[in-house]
Amino acid sequence: MHQLNYFNSGDGLQLQPIDIGHRDYIGLISADTAFWALVKKNQISQALDNSPLLRKYHRKKEVFSEEIKTLRTALKPSAVYFNPTDRCNLNCSYCYIPEKLRKNGKHMSVCKLQEALEILKNYFKTNPSGGQKPQIIFHGAEPLLNKEAVFGSIDKFSQDFRFGIQTNGTLLDPQDIGFLRSRKINIGLSLDGHLPRVADRLRRSWGGHGVSEKIIEVIQQLRGYDNYSVICTVTKENMTYQTKIVEFLHRMEVPTCMLNPVRCTLQGSRKYKPLDSDIATHYLRALDRIYRLYQKTGRKLVVANFVNILIAIIAPMARRLMCDISPCGGGRCFFAVSSNGDLFPCSEFIGLKKYKGGNIFKDDIGDVLKTAPFKSVTHRRIENIEPCYRCAIRHFCGAPCPAEAYGMSGSIETRGAFCKLYEEQVRYALCLIADNKTEAYLWDGWDKDTSSTFKMTEF
């Protein structure tokens, strides 16, 4: 007869109770495998006493271990963040790209950009990631300062890649929007507020002029287009307006947004960093408001960075973003190309020579992925980071971001900013699961290719 080892000792099952702030439920989490269960508070002792829950988990433990191992070590690059220019027509106060690059950097020529894409095409042919075509995201700085090269390349390589573009939106005219819509390009726009007096505080031109009214015009022209999102960088300046911002974006019928806490990679951005407790309070209020808007209208506004945390709990392999896992996706699921062809694990590292792994025109991409700069990122493990190694929810967070950690402390083997914000997101997500409210937040069809490993509604 099989004997179940004792809970939380020796070779027994390691499961940690976690308070999720719910009236009736408490979380039970395996930090190593990312397995979780919600247990009624008045039944916690029964759940931990050789219960059907523990016995069933014991039988499935190896499956969960293999899944998290695959997610952390076995994925291959399937996307490239491509900076076709160093320059930007804006001078946002919190930008993680050094000012010198944004002001005086270079464009990649049409010829060189297409040569780079040909190299990437050949790389992905011999190193397929499976599933969909590889993705190229034109990133920045501001990629539309090099519009001719970008648009020409989209058409030339339309059969080889899925394309996206992250832009401040100020250079988009109706003809450009028509071009991008007709080719079903994923568009990311940047807007930091619902009103110019909020949105323009830190996002301005080099001459000090706000640009939000132009971005709102672009959003109006994109109404009805599903393949776009609005990214809001949350700082001290707009933190308290997050609820108003999601109300505005919902009213404008924006399909997806991100409420991203400001990256603290560079010294200049850190003075705009809110306290974790403050940003979390207003962030969760905004998520509450999104639920009420969905109840009232039946229309969703998907907050992609929160949904990624939610899906990391519900179905880890269905994650779309790879920042909130250790090691992160940098150099592993994606990498970045700068305007002169230099290769970095992620766009956040562009400008940090220490993390340059090679050059796309001079070096083999496969060899670059094995270089010391890339390995330092792909070998980063949350188990080596204090205090994350003992945190029950470490695989729902991943101690992001290594570039931010390096900028703040000089070492990527530390946690980045906003630990408490991530913690509160996990608690909030588990409460939504307990209350059966997740549908209001998730992409439609998010679970199309998923299957259940473990099902138990009671024990």
Side-chain angles (χ1 to χ4, degrees):
M1 181 178 177
H2 175 74
Q3 180 178 348
L4 185 66
N5 291 315
Y6 288 109
F7 166 71
N8 271 358
S9 66
D11 294 325
L13 299 177
Q14 303 297 308
L15 293 170
Q16 298 175 241
I18 177 173
D19 182 1
I20 64 171
H22 194 276
R23 182 187 62 188
D24 299 320
Y25 287 91
I26 194 165
L28 199 60
I29 297 177
S30 164
D32 292 332
T33 66
F35 168 83
W36 59 273
L38 294 174
V39 179
K40 287 188 176 180
K41 291 179 178 179
N42 62 3
Q43 296 177 352
I44 188 69
S45 60
Q46 298 98 304
L48 300 180
D49 185 19
N50 199 13
S51 68
L53 170 69
L54 294 189
R55 291 196 297 273
K56 188 169 184 179
Y57 172 59
H58 189 274
R59 292 194 295 271
K60 295 283 188 178
K61 180 182 177 183
E62 294 307 315
V63 177
F64 288 111
S65 295
E66 191 59 34
E67 184 178 77
I68 199 70
K69 180 181 177 182
T70 297
L71 187 64
R72 299 182 71 195
T73 65
L75 302 184
K76 297 180 180 179
S78 60
V80 179
Y81 289 88
F82 201 122
N83 284 23
T85 179
D86 295 321
R87 298 181 199 169
C88 190
N89 58 327
L90 300 187
N91 185 28
C92 303
S93 304
Y94 53 70
C95 186
Y96 61 84
I97 298 176
E99 181 177 321
K100 184 178 179 180
L101 271 180
R102 289 184 285 118
K103 210 169 192 178
N104 303 311
K106 58 179 72 172
H107 291 333
M108 183 179 278
S109 69
V110 176
C111 179
K112 295 300 283 185
L113 196 156
Q114 295 186 357
E115 181 185 346
L117 290 177
E118 192 67 40
I119 292 169
L120 290 169
K121 172 184 171 180
N122 292 330
Y123 168 75
F124 285 114
K125 272 187 178 180
T126 55
N127 297 273
S129 59
Q132 293 182 303
K133 295 176 186 175
Q135 188 174 25
I136 303 293
I137 304 101
F138 289 115
H139 211 257
E142 175 46 54
L144 291 184
L145 284 172
N146 201 1
K147 190 184 298 184
E148 179 186 356
V150 168
F151 282 14
S153 297
I154 287 173
D155 270 349
K156 183 171 181 178
F157 291 90
S158 61
Q159 300 303 309
D160 306 300
F161 301 105
R162 293 175 295 134
F163 283 101
I165 186 165
Q166 177 60 43
T167 172
N168 60 40
T170 59
L171 303 176
L172 282 171
D173 59 34
Q175 184 177 349
D176 298 332
I177 293 171
F179 173 90
L180 296 172
R181 290 185 68 149
S182 67
R183 289 152 179 83
K184 296 181 172 57
I185 306 303
N186 287 309
I187 306 167
L189 298 173
S190 297
L191 181 69
D192 287 356
H194 60 303
L195 297 170
R197 64 180 176 81
V198 177
D200 294 337
R201 290 178 183 179
L202 301 179
R203 294 187 64 82
R204 293 175 172 270
S205 69
W206 289 98
H209 305 293
V211 296
S212 62
E213 291 181 348
K214 167 63 179 175
I215 314 310
I216 292 170
E217 288 177 13
V218 171
I219 291 173
Q220 290 170 332
Q221 293 170 51
L222 285 169
R223 192 183 292 263
Y225 185 58
D226 291 333
N227 292 347
Y228 89 100
S229 62
V230 173
I231 297 177
C232 174
T233 298
V234 182
T235 66
K236 282 182 178 180
E237 298 296 325
N238 63 357
M239 170 189 65
T240 60
Y241 296 97
Q242 288 177 87
T243 299
K244 294 292 185 183
I245 290 169
V246 298
E247 288 175 345
F248 170 76
L249 295 178
H250 187 272
R251 189 164 62 249
M252 298 294 288
E253 298 182 15
V254 172
T256 305
C257 73
M258 297 181 79
L259 300 174
N260 283 345
V262 59
R263 280 287 182 229
C264 299
T265 310
L266 295 183
Q267 181 68 42
S269 63
R270 288 169 216 157
K271 62 183 175 182
Y272 303 111
K273 177 189 179 297
L275 293 174
D276 279 32
S277 56
D278 292 341
I279 190 174
T281 295
H282 295 284
Y283 182 77
L284 299 186
R285 286 176 184 168
L287 294 178
D288 284 342
R289 183 60 177 147
I290 282 172
Y291 183 77
R292 293 194 296 274
L293 289 170
Y294 175 71
Q295 284 185 305
K296 181 178 180 180
T297 67
R299 192 175 71 249
K300 297 179 182 180
L301 170 63
V302 175
V303 182
N305 52 313
F306 170 69
V307 171
N308 203 57
I309 298 287
L310 182 57
I311 290 178
I313 298 170
I314 298 172
M317 296 301 290
R319 296 182 193 215
R320 296 192 183 185
L321 306 174
M322 294 301 293
C323 294
D324 310 328
I325 185 69
S326 159
C328 71
R332 193 169 64 90
C333 304
F334 54 80
F335 53 89
V337 182
S338 73
S339 65
N340 64 0
D342 287 342
L343 295 167
F344 296 86
C346 172
S347 293
E348 293 276 348
F349 287 105
I350 290 179
L352 298 174
K353 291 182 179 179
K354 177 179 178 178
Y355 288 95
K356 172 187 168 183
N359 187 280
I360 197 168
F361 302 116
K362 300 174 184 177
D363 303 301
D364 177 79
I365 293 174
D367 292 339
V368 170
L369 296 178
K370 299 173 186 175
T371 60
F374 273 65
K375 280 187 173 181
S376 67
V377 177
T378 60
H379 289 191
R380 181 180 186 254
R381 295 289 186 274
I382 199 165
E383 290 85 350
N384 300 325
I385 297 174
E386 168 73 33
C388 307
Y389 73 91
R390 59 178 179 266
C391 178
I393 61 173
R394 58 179 178 258
H395 290 317
F396 305 141
C397 165
C401 141
E404 183 176 60
Y406 178 79
M408 294 175 69
S409 69
S411 169
I412 66 171
E413 296 296 333
T414 58
R415 57 181 172 177
F418 299 108
C419 174
K420 293 297 182 184
L421 173 61
Y422 280 94
E423 183 179 339
E424 291 303 321
Q425 287 184 79
V426 173
R427 295 181 195 281
Y428 186 90
L430 288 168
C431 284
L432 292 181
I433 296 168
D435 292 334
N436 197 27
K437 291 182 176 179
T438 59
E439 177 59 28
Y441 296 87
L442 295 163
W443 287 284
D444 291 334
W446 71 272
D447 57 349
K448 178 182 176 184
D449 298 316
T450 63
S451 59
S452 296
T453 301
F454 186 103
K455 285 186 178 179
M456 177 169 280
T457 56
E458 58 182 32
F459 60 85

